[in-house]
């Protein structure tokens, strides 16, 4: 029983003293009727596809969503300034005349000015932009080290 077809017990969770422990049997869940998938699974060594407690897995976080979200709830997140000091630069593609926006951040005053420091091109993903927390944190830390960061802003986002 239970959602997900997990192993032991009556489903996803087993009620314990003060905590619900997952009862999902670890392993590779796949279609046994699809011959291609079954062949791939049979050739895939168990030790390279199993993520159990002996390899550092957390038995109380059974899903990827839980493993992603819980650390943000229990760990302190450093405060960031409301926005990093970006300079927007438009770069035109000579092939099609289209332009892309780059939000460029330079080292703050007093930071080391090292011409050999790396320049980072940051791609923020499908949504978001240069003001996303994870981007601002990365830019803050790299510019403090003396690097320049250029965040490529996807078309249609952040007033582009």
């Amino acid at each position: 029983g239970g959602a997900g077809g997990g192993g032991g017990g009556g489903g996803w969770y087993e009620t314990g003293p003060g905590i619900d422990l997952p009862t999902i049997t670890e392993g590779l869940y796949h279609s046994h009727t699809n011959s291609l998938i079954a062949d791939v699974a049979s050739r895939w060594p168990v030790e390279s596809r199993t993520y159990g407690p002996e390899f550092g897995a957390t038995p109380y976080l059974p899903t990827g969503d839980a493993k992603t979200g819980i650390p943000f709830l229990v760990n302190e997140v450093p405060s960031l300034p409301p926005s990093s000091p970006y300079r927007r630069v438009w770069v035109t593609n000579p092939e099609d005349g289209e332009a892309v926006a780059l939000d460029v951040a330079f080292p703050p005053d007093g930071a080391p000015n090292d011409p050999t420091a790396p320049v980072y091109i940051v791609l923020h993903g499908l949504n978001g932009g240069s003001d996303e927390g994870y981007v601002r944190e990365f830019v803050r830390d790299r510019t403090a080290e003396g690097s320049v960061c250029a965040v490529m802003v996807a078309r249609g986002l952040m007033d582009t």
Side-chain angles (χ1 to χ4, degrees), residues 107 111-119 143 145-148:
N113 187 5
D114 181 2
T116 63
V119 174
T143 56
E145 297 169 354
S147 291
V148 173

Side-chain angles (χ1 to χ4, degrees), residues 7-129:
W12 283 94
Y13 295 97
E14 176 182 309
T15 303
I19 188 169
D20 290 334
L21 299 174
T23 57
I24 300 169
T25 303
E26 63 186 58
L28 179 65
Y29 288 77
H30 63 89
S31 170
H32 295 278
T33 59
N34 181 319
S35 60
L36 176 63
I37 298 298
D39 184 51
V40 169
S42 72
R43 296 170 190 265
W44 194 356
V46 173
E47 62 274 4
S48 69
R49 63 175 157 92
T50 301
Y51 186 58
E54 68 274 13
F55 301 113
T58 50
Y60 49 86
L61 299 175
T63 67
D65 290 337
K67 290 174 184 160
T68 299
I70 293 296
F72 289 96
L73 297 175
V74 299
N75 294 312
E76 182 178 343
V77 177
S79 62
L80 295 171
S83 182
S84 297
Y86 292 111
R87 176 182 291 169
R88 178 149 298 170
V89 177
W90 289 89
V91 180
T92 303
N93 179 346
E95 292 294 319
D96 62 7
E98 291 287 333
V100 64
L102 297 176
D103 285 348
V104 182
F106 296 94
D109 291 338
N113 187 5
D114 181 2
T116 63
V119 174
Y120 293 94
I121 305 294
V122 182
L123 307 176
H124 58 74
L126 293 177
N127 289 316

